[in-house]
Amino acid sequence: MALGLALATPTVQAQPAAKGTSAPSDKQSGGVGGLGGVLQAAVQNHPSVRKTIADREASVAGVDEARAHYLPTLSGQTNQGADPNVTWGLIRLQQPIWAGGKIDAGVDVAESKLSSSEWAVLESRRQLMEQATAAYVAVIGNKALLATAQDGVNAHEKLLDLIRRRREGGVASDADIRLAEARLASVRTQAKDLAGQVRRQELELSILTAGHAKADAPLPSLYMNWEAPQELLTQAREASPLIRRKRQDVVTVTHETEVHQGERWPVISLRVDSDVGPTPTVYNQPRTRAGIYAEANVDGGGFVGYQRIKADAARLLAAQEDVAAASFEVDRRVQIMLNDRDLATQQLGDHQVVVQTQEMSLESSLRLYDAGRKNWVDVLNAQRELLDARLNRDRAKMTANDAELRIAVMCGTLDALAGLE
């Protein structure tokens, strides 16, 4: 039985969860007006995503460019002889027949870079999804904190009114009123700070979505197999566009090595030359000629190519280590968030118990005050402790929500909600 945290409720509930994960529906998340709308607006409208999409289009053109090397090359030249009034020229058509695998490897390089650019698009979208999800959770969580703080303001206002009435009856003192007013001012300040946090996170969310969506619906409920962290780690690795892109970079370096290895071989081509204009008789050759030619360049006596291949081997090793580093980073982030989620879930249950205890303590303090066995300081202290317990509970819930949804983004669980599938 997997433990599911119902994100829209303040308590932890045991929920049946299938192995793996399931994405929340639009109905659960409020459709395009809820988390789904925020995610879709973020991945569609943010400039960083449009930039990676433009890079992908450039990579598509790069594949076409690489394949164009299979086509013949048309060139021309002009020459002027001893007579300045006589100019002759040459038109050449050259079709590569065998290039030592350079052209094939060049196409493979371009196609591999295209695959990398596609993973880069998904990586950019996932990063925005995580940022938008965090901002959404912060808006919802801080609104809950603000509502709790406002309840505290209302409770302190009622206590202040009650103390003022008691003073008129000669039961309370001016010191009691000053203390109640100070406590009320402190709670109001706390509520104002939380209202500022709500506005700040709403602004962050508006910037991420280009003003196309806002947090106007509760968070969805996620049912993930939290009791099997290794499965979540595996799923996050498999769904990580960062790891996929780094693996594709290894393929790209491998094909680039093949290009450099092919440069050691001559290029065999079919060449057709045709003279244009008066042909100098000194050449004593037909105006149109065809033949098979081989061309090769040995830069630096062959040492340039040798050192280039050595550099390719080092680049390949670096790319492979980059894959390992990316996997390590994904594991590190998931493990930290799992730890944060587990800790916050435990704290959420503990704080709920504290809230219930403080509610009973406040009721008891009010009864004992009426019986003359406690003073207003005890009542005000009980009210403040109850408010602090409720705020701590709401903060723990927000931390758990943030960790769970970040993990869901990394595992690809929210891709369908964001319109990526």
Side-chain angles (χ1 to χ4, degrees):
M1 179 72 69
L3 185 62
L5 178 63
L7 302 186
T9 62
T11 59
V12 179
Q13 300 175 354
Q15 300 286 354
K19 183 178 181 180
T21 63
S22 61
S25 65
D26 283 345
K27 183 177 181 181
Q28 288 175 301
S29 62
V32 295
L35 180 60
V38 167
L39 294 178
Q40 291 172 27
V43 301
Q44 292 173 5
N45 299 304
H46 201 276
S48 64
V49 173
R50 294 200 296 269
K51 185 263 183 186
T52 56
I53 292 176
D55 290 340
R56 182 183 61 187
E57 295 302 318
S59 297
V60 171
V63 173
D64 294 335
E65 177 187 355
R67 289 173 177 169
H69 286 90
Y70 289 117
L71 301 176
T73 300
L74 181 65
S75 61
Q77 65 182 48
T78 60
N79 291 283
Q80 190 173 36
D83 187 351
N85 296 319
V86 177
T87 301
W88 61 277
L90 175 70
I91 296 177
R92 172 172 294 169
L93 185 67
Q94 186 165 316
Q95 172 65 54
I97 298 175
W98 183 79
K102 284 187 297 185
I103 299 178
D104 295 338
V107 173
D108 292 338
V109 169
E111 291 177 344
S112 181
K113 289 182 177 180
L114 174 58
S115 296
S116 294
S117 67
E118 290 172 346
W119 289 118
V121 172
L122 180 58
E123 182 181 358
S124 175
R125 284 173 168 166
R126 287 272 184 83
Q127 290 174 350
L128 283 172
M129 287 172 61
E130 187 172 339
Q131 294 173 20
T133 297
Y136 196 99
V137 170
V139 171
I140 298 297
N142 280 293
K143 282 183 177 180
L145 287 168
L146 178 59
T148 300
Q150 190 59 50
D151 289 342
V153 171
N154 296 336
H156 279 79
E157 288 176 345
K158 291 179 181 179
L159 287 176
L160 178 59
D161 291 339
L162 184 58
I163 294 174
R164 284 172 174 168
R165 290 196 298 269
R166 293 295 181 94
R167 185 189 63 174
E168 293 174 358
V171 178
S173 65
D174 291 338
D176 292 333
I177 291 179
R178 287 194 294 270
L179 176 60
E181 288 174 343
R183 294 286 177 84
L184 176 59
S186 176
V187 175
R188 282 176 175 168
T189 300
Q190 197 171 19
K192 289 179 181 178
D193 291 340
L194 290 170
Q197 287 295 323
V198 171
R199 289 192 296 271
R200 179 183 180 278
Q201 294 301 330
E202 286 178 337
L203 177 61
E204 175 76 13
L205 194 61
S206 177
I207 293 173
L208 288 171
T209 61
H212 289 83
K214 59 182 180 179
D216 57 357
L219 292 170
S221 295
L222 294 177
Y223 302 109
M224 302 178 70
N225 196 6
W226 303 112
E227 295 179 353
Q230 195 59 43
E231 291 184 8
L232 293 175
L233 282 171
T234 301
Q235 185 176 354
R237 290 192 207 106
E238 293 175 351
S240 171
L242 173 63
I243 295 177
R244 297 290 187 91
R245 181 171 61 83
K246 296 299 184 180
R247 288 174 179 169
Q248 197 62 47
D249 289 344
V250 173
V251 177
T252 300
V253 174
T254 300
H255 291 314
E256 288 175 343
T257 302
E258 294 172 354
V259 171
H260 296 154
Q261 290 174 341
E263 290 175 348
R264 298 180 301 175
W265 299 96
V267 177
I268 300 176
S269 305
L270 171 63
R271 181 188 299 175
V272 178
D273 293 341
S274 180
D275 294 327
V276 178
T279 304
T281 57
V282 66
Y283 293 125
N284 192 24
Q285 57 186 1
R287 296 181 61 88
T288 300
R289 304 167 298 279
I292 303 296
Y293 294 82
E295 296 182 25
N297 294 318
V298 183
D299 296 334
F303 288 101
V304 172
Y306 174 73
Q307 295 299 329
R308 184 177 295 163
I309 292 175
K310 285 182 61 178
D312 288 337
R315 290 175 56 228
L316 180 59
L317 179 60
Q320 292 169 343
E321 293 297 334
D322 218 10
V323 173
S327 298
F328 177 84
E329 178 62 18
V330 170
D331 288 354
R332 183 190 67 83
R333 294 194 62 223
V334 172
Q335 288 174 353
I336 289 176
M337 286 185 286
L338 281 172
N339 180 75
D340 291 345
R341 182 259 173 195
D342 292 341
L343 180 59
T345 302
Q346 294 173 6
Q347 291 176 341
L348 181 57
D350 295 339
H351 288 312
Q352 184 61 31
V353 173
V354 174
V355 167
Q356 295 171 353
T357 302
Q358 292 299 331
E359 288 174 347
M360 291 186 292
S361 176
L362 177 60
E363 294 175 359
S364 175
S365 295
L366 288 170
R367 288 194 301 268
L368 292 174
Y369 174 79
D370 290 336
R373 298 173 59 184
K374 281 185 178 292
N375 57 32
W376 277 117
V377 175
D378 296 324
V379 176
L380 291 172
N381 287 341
Q383 182 63 60
R384 182 177 61 183
E385 291 170 358
L386 174 59
L387 176 60
D388 290 342
R390 287 173 173 171
L391 291 174
N392 289 334
R393 177 198 61 192
D394 292 343
R395 290 190 183 97
K397 182 175 67 173
M398 184 167 63
T399 300
N401 291 344
D402 180 75
E404 284 200 350
L405 286 172
R406 284 177 184 269
I407 295 172
V409 170
M410 294 187 68
C411 291
T413 307
L414 300 183
D415 284 0
L417 196 61
L420 301 186
E421 294 181 351

